[in-house]
């Protein structure tokens, strides 16, 4: 089994890198991609553990980008994880802009009358403190009942607590991934606000070279559409569960949402060949 999309406690997952490696072995995943948001730290920690466990690890990352004013997630895969120096520097800049946003987001939420501090969210987020960690604190303090309500009432782009963060443009992020020798794959295309088929030529022009056809949020029909678009536009294909652990308990490593995912065994071979 193969799974090329997963998160650890180094971003917004609840499994530590060591626990994720264990979970992969337990569930029969043979090749695992770790794609934390804006950081390689989970992959770096998991690598020696995976080697010991006989698990093949693929170095990955998930970047939040802006495309036509909308937020679009982009996956980067590095089949050879050396020589990522420049990319790591650039990612350091993204992390700094996130920290600056978090300071302003705390101020905004406090202005709205919520008792929440930077220390509290950072205790849950560590190196990559993001809005899901803010949501967690709001739930724990009883301001909201669920992650969804936290976003709807306070954190979503359309909600009253939202503050902007400098996110890279889609094309800029693609270029950084490609320059580092990586494969740039459009994450969970079902979540795009715009029609993906219509966007495809401009995504190709930006340098995109893969699409995540297989994902826990995709129906078989949607997967078929993305495979067809990949074929039509000469894109490689990636796939993964988007495992986050206990925050999304219905999603399982390797098999997706209650078993709805089956990623062909040759996906990684094709990435290598491509
Ligand atoms: P950040 O990168 O800190 O701005 O947080 C973005 C993350 O928050 C995304 O990767 C999603 O996991 C989560 N997220 C964003 N919007 C929503 C939403 N409306 N509902 C639930 N989770 C969301
Ligand atoms: Fe996430
Ligand atoms: Fe995502
Ligand atoms: Zn993800």
């Amino acid at each position: 089994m193969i799974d090329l999309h997963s998160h650890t406690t180094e971003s917004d997952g609840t499994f530590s890198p060591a626990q994720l490696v264990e979970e992969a072995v337990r569930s029969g995943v043979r090749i695992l991609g770790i794609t934390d948001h804006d950081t390689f730290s989970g992959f770096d920690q998991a690598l020696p553990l995976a080697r010991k466990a006989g698990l093949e690890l693929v170095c990955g990352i998930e970047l939040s980008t802006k495309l036509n004013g909308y937020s679009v997630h982009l996956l980067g895969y590095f089949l050879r994880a050396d020589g990522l120096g420049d990319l790591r520097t650039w990612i350091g800049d993204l992390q700094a802009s996130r920290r600056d946003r978090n300071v302003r987001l705390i101020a905004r939420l406090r202005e709205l009358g919520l008792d929440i501090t930077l220390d509290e969210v950072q205790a849950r987020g560590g190196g990559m403190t993001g809005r899901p960690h803010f949501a967690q604190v709001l739930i724990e303090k009883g301001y909201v009942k669920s992650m969804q309500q936290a976003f709807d009432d306070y954190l979503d782009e359309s909600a009253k607590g939202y503050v902007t963060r400098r996110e890279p443009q889609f094309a800029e992020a693609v270029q950084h991934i490609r320059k580092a020798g990586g494969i740039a794959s459009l994450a969970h295309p079902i979540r795009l606000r715009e029609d993906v088929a219509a966007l495809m030529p401009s995504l190709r022009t930006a340098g995109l070279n893969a699409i995540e056809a297989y994902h826990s949020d995709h129906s078989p029909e949607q997967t078929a559409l993305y495979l067809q678009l990949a074929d039509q536009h000469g894109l490689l294909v990636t796939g993964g569960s988007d495992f986050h652990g206990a925050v999304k308990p219905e999603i399982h490593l390797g098999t997706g949402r209650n078993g709805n995912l089956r990623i062909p065994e040759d996906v990684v071979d094709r990435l290598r060949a491509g």
Side-chain angles (χ1 to χ4, degrees):
M1 209 152 51
I2 287 171
D3 192 330
L4 294 181
H5 192 157
S6 68
H7 297 267
T8 75
T9 44
E10 290 301 311
S11 64
D12 57 348
T14 66
F15 280 46
S16 69
Q19 289 170 326
L20 186 64
V21 168
E22 271 174 39
E23 180 64 12
V25 171
R26 194 193 63 76
S27 50
V29 170
R30 188 170 59 82
I31 307 179
L32 175 71
I34 296 184
T35 52
D36 276 315
H37 298 279
D38 298 353
T39 178
F40 289 117
S41 172
F43 168 81
D44 292 340
Q45 292 174 47
L47 190 57
L49 306 170
R51 284 216 175 105
K52 253 185 263 167
L55 170 72
E56 191 175 329
L57 216 56
V58 173
C59 178
I61 197 157
E62 184 170 18
L63 301 172
S64 306
T65 75
K66 277 275 189 281
L67 179 68
N68 303 333
Y70 297 114
S71 180
V72 171
H73 286 182
L74 179 68
L75 295 161
Y77 292 107
F78 308 89
L79 297 170
R80 287 178 45 247
D82 48 340
L84 296 181
D86 288 354
L87 187 66
R88 284 177 186 266
T89 306
W90 183 64
I91 283 161
D93 297 345
L94 297 181
Q95 286 164 357
S97 88
R98 180 186 283 283
R99 279 193 294 276
D100 164 71
R101 186 281 310 265
N102 290 347
V103 169
R104 288 180 289 112
L105 181 50
I106 285 291
R108 176 69 190 138
L109 295 175
R110 294 186 67 84
E111 217 173 78
L112 292 171
L114 305 178
D115 170 30
I116 181 169
T117 67
L118 194 58
D119 284 348
E120 287 167 341
V121 290
Q122 282 177 350
R124 287 152 187 86
M128 200 300 303
T129 303
R131 283 180 288 159
H133 305 107
F134 284 75
Q136 222 175 305
V137 174
L138 295 181
I139 294 168
E140 284 167 30
K141 295 204 163 181
Y143 289 120
V144 294
K145 292 210 160 40
S146 64
M147 185 71 81
Q148 198 52 56
Q149 195 193 349
F151 274 90
D152 289 349
D153 291 1
Y154 295 106
L155 302 172
D156 187 73
E157 272 171 278
S158 60
K160 56 179 180 276
Y162 187 73
V163 299
T164 56
R165 153 164 96 91
R166 200 200 71 82
E167 285 182 332
Q169 290 298 315
F170 180 81
E172 182 191 355
V174 169
Q175 289 312 316
H176 277 279
I177 291 169
R178 297 291 305 272
K179 241 190 3 219
I183 293 163
S185 183
L186 182 66
H188 38 65
I190 187 62
R191 291 194 209 157
L192 285 193
R193 308 278 185 90
E194 300 176 277
D195 181 56
V196 60
L199 274 179
M200 209 40 92
S202 63
L203 299 182
R204 283 297 276 152
T205 303
L208 186 77
N209 58 341
I211 181 169
E212 189 177 43
Y214 304 97
H215 186 275
S216 302
D217 286 356
H218 295 168
S219 69
E221 294 73 25
Q222 287 159 346
T223 294
L225 167 68
Y226 302 135
L227 289 172
Q228 184 255 312
L229 287 174
D231 194 43
Q232 185 183 342
H233 296 276
L235 293 168
L236 294 163
V237 166
T238 71
S241 63
D242 212 348
F243 180 79
H244 279 74
V247 283
K248 296 182 184 175
E250 72 287 1
I251 293 178
H252 300 276
L253 203 63
T255 56
R257 179 173 275 111
N258 302 319
N260 72 343
L261 192 68
R262 179 126 310 272
I263 301 163
E265 290 288 315
D266 64 354
V267 157
V268 176
D269 301 330
R270 286 172 192 268
L271 293 180
R272 286 219 176 81

